[in-house]
Amino acid sequence: LDEGLVCHVGFAVDSQPFVLPTAYARIGEYLYVHGSPMARWLSLLRQALPVCATVSILDGFVLARSAFRHSVNYRSVVALGHFAEVEGEEKLAALRAIIEHIMPGRWGDAIRHPSDGELQATVVLKISLHEASAKIRSGPPADLEPDLKDRARKVWAGHLPLVLSPLAPVPDPALQQDIPAPDYLIEYGKR
Ligand SMILES: Cc1cc2nc3c(=O)[nH]c(=O)nc-3n(C[C@H](O)[C@H](O)[C@H](O)COP(=O)(O)OP(=O)(O)OC[C@H]3O[C@@H](n4cnc5c(N)ncnc54)[C@H](O)[C@@H]3O)c2cc1C
């Protein structure tokens, strides 16, 4: 959860399932999401609809000797339950955590923190991680013995690790020229 970047929240409305991607942050045993009170999914989830929230990281492609055994390496979490709205100090802490989750160091920079009006124009919900599972696949393919022993089939097998890595930061065209890129931005992804 600390390394993932996107949470997918699944829920059903009149038997129609929806899955929506969103930013998130974890604080302790809770996962927090936020958005506009005008967003339909947030007004639905405010009413404690049963949900499934998942975060996954793709770590690599697994190339096996048989088509059947091809796979991916990953780390994923699935949480079941319902969201509850948070207010006050917890709401502000969650917003801070969401910004810090995306870009560590950003909240402590010179950004303007939310005004009362902006806080009112933001819904923050949390879901307990009490009912959650994690699943991980890593390493080489799991080929069958006959395929491993088949020396005649000269096919490469293994895995291709993948990472999400940043490109050079692109300044806002309206940025004052005397403001350099902050260290946390230059260092992003080197963690
Ligand atoms: C990036 C990615 C790609 C994948 N690609 C495939 C694919 O192509 N085909 C495929 O069959 N599977 C794929 N998986 C695995 C898939 O998510 C399921 O774990 C797997 O298919 C077993 O499903 P199931 O319904 O039998 O789970 P069950 O064994 O019935 O699950 C029981 C419980 O385990 C937990 N659980 C199940 N899956 C996960 C999970 N991924 N993460 C955390 N908790 C979990 C849930 O709480 C669930 O209720 C992929 C996973 C990831 C992250």
Side-chain angles (χ1 to χ4, degrees):
L1 283 175
D2 294 336
E3 286 187 49
L5 290 173
V6 178
C7 173
H8 286 87
V9 179
F11 54 94
V13 181
D14 297 333
S15 305
Q16 171 62 58
F18 292 85
V19 179
L20 295 181
T22 183
Y24 73 96
R26 181 180 73 92
I27 304 177
E29 299 302 304
Y30 289 95
L31 184 145
Y32 292 82
V33 298
H34 80 308
S36 160
M38 307 296 285
R40 194 181 67 121
W41 70 283
L42 283 167
S43 30
L44 289 164
L45 266 47
R46 265 172 143 170
Q47 300 159 27
L49 227 57
V51 297
C52 174
T54 179
V55 174
S56 57
I57 302 171
L58 181 62
D59 284 327
F61 298 134
V62 181
L63 307 182
R65 291 161 183 81
S66 66
F68 187 79
R69 291 278 167 155
H70 279 67
S71 189
V72 291
N73 284 333
Y74 60 82
R75 289 163 283 161
S76 67
V77 169
V78 171
L80 302 175
H82 59 268
F83 280 97
E85 189 163 3
V86 300
E87 295 288 358
E89 289 297 312
E90 188 178 6
K91 182 174 184 177
L92 194 60
L95 292 172
R96 175 194 170 121
I98 289 170
I99 290 208
E100 282 292 304
H101 180 69
I102 292 168
M103 182 58 60
R106 190 68 181 159
W107 190 268
D109 201 344
I111 61 167
R112 182 175 62 74
H113 290 170
S115 64
D116 288 347
E118 287 168 337
L119 282 173
Q120 274 171 21
T122 309
V123 177
V124 176
L125 304 177
K126 71 174 175 184
I127 184 172
S128 165
L129 296 170
H130 183 70
E131 201 178 334
S133 58
K135 194 169 170 181
I136 296 175
R137 192 210 185 278
S138 60
D143 273 311
L144 296 173
E145 207 52 37
D147 290 319
L148 284 170
K149 288 182 177 154
D150 184 355
R151 302 273 162 194
R153 189 181 300 281
K154 300 220 175 287
V155 63
W156 188 91
H159 61 105
L160 179 66
L162 297 173
V163 289
L164 185 67
S165 84
L167 301 177
V170 180
D172 180 350
L175 184 72
Q176 283 173 232
Q177 289 201 340
D178 59 345
I179 303 179
D183 287 346
Y184 58 77
L185 190 59
I186 306 295
E187 293 302 313
Y188 187 89
K190 296 183 188 162
R191 291 169 283 149

